[in-house]
Amino acid sequence: MTDASSTDTKRQRVVAIGIDGGSFRVLRPWMAEGHLPNFARIAREGAVGTLMSTIPPLTPPAFVSSMTGKNPGKHNIFDFVRVPRDGYRRSVINSTHVRGNKLWTILNHYGRKAGIVHFPASYPPEHIDGFIVGGILTPKGVDSHTWPVELADELRREIPGYRIYRGRQHLQGDLDGYLASLIETTQVHATEALYLMEKKEWDFFFLMFKYTDGAKHIYWKFWDREHPDYPGPNPYEDAILKVYREVDDYLGKLLDRLDDDTTLLVYSD
């Protein structure tokens, strides 16, 4: 990696999209059946393959590995929580627990700006050359989940329905309400990402879609006919697909905006 020349007229840029819980078990048939045309386009026009996850294969250690180049034993993130050596009270992990330089820190060193949106365990946000919007594990109700700090107010003002988290209707057995919340929150995150990509400066842009995974946690048994609790034909068989379709719609809008000097990476944990 070399320092960017001041005479550069075109700067190479990279967009990385994280699909939480993404699996070819659902992607391949849905792409083949025409349900996810933009996922299919990316696979057709680019390179596609199966990645090996971390041990353990959980969201925080896997995505942190992707941005540090280190395994969990080196970057210090093994789960969603930390277990103390001298007690039993667990604490939620945060950005201060990560060991090693993250990709955006390295890019900043070489004069490149980074935009990081909803990366897990990115709270409290680091003061980087670019911007950060906290993702999962950000404490609910905090005002300081972005860098710069004032970006949070800008997002609330510019993005209708702006929020990090989906609703919790599933806890009351409201599967229709929960699915609607997953879809709406995914739409909000897509709108937020397009806004930030157009309004802010960046050389590297990361966005994570969390609720492709959230949908599977609740609705997998309604889709997978081999699941021991599959109830037979039911109104939630396409619930997971509906969330993936929102991500696919975003990818289509993103592809329309990318130029020949921008590389797109779509990957999962």
Side-chain angles (χ1 to χ4, degrees), residues 163-181:
R163 59 187 180 270
I164 296 176
Y165 294 111
R166 79 288 183 268
R168 300 171 65 85
Q169 294 91 335
H170 62 297
L171 298 179
Q172 288 77 42
D174 183 4
L175 295 182
D176 292 317
Y178 185 61
L179 178 58
S181 178

Side-chain angles (χ1 to χ4, degrees), residues 1-8 10-13 102-115 128-131 201-204:
M1 186 181 294
T2 58
D3 198 355
S5 169
S6 60
T7 61
D8 284 350
K10 291 187 177 181
R11 292 166 68 95
Q12 293 288 328
R13 302 201 297 179
K102 305 178 187 73
L103 178 58
W104 50 86
T105 304
I106 299 171
L107 291 171
N108 280 178
H109 176 75
Y110 287 94
R112 300 297 178 117
K113 294 180 180 291
I128 68 170
D129 185 7
F131 55 91
E201 292 185 47
W202 54 273
D203 296 292
F204 173 74

Side-chain angles (χ1 to χ4, degrees), residues 6 35 54 67 70 72 83 103 112 121 137-138 146 149 168 177 190 197-198 206 213-215 218 234 239 264 266 268:
S6 60
H35 297 305
T54 51
M67 288 295 154
K70 300 178 181 294
V83 179
L103 178 58
R112 300 297 178 117
L137 306 180
T138 298
T146 64
V149 174
R168 300 171 65 85
M197 294 182 74
E198 293 176 355
F206 173 90
D213 185 58
I218 303 301
N234 65 87
L264 173 64
V266 180
S268 180

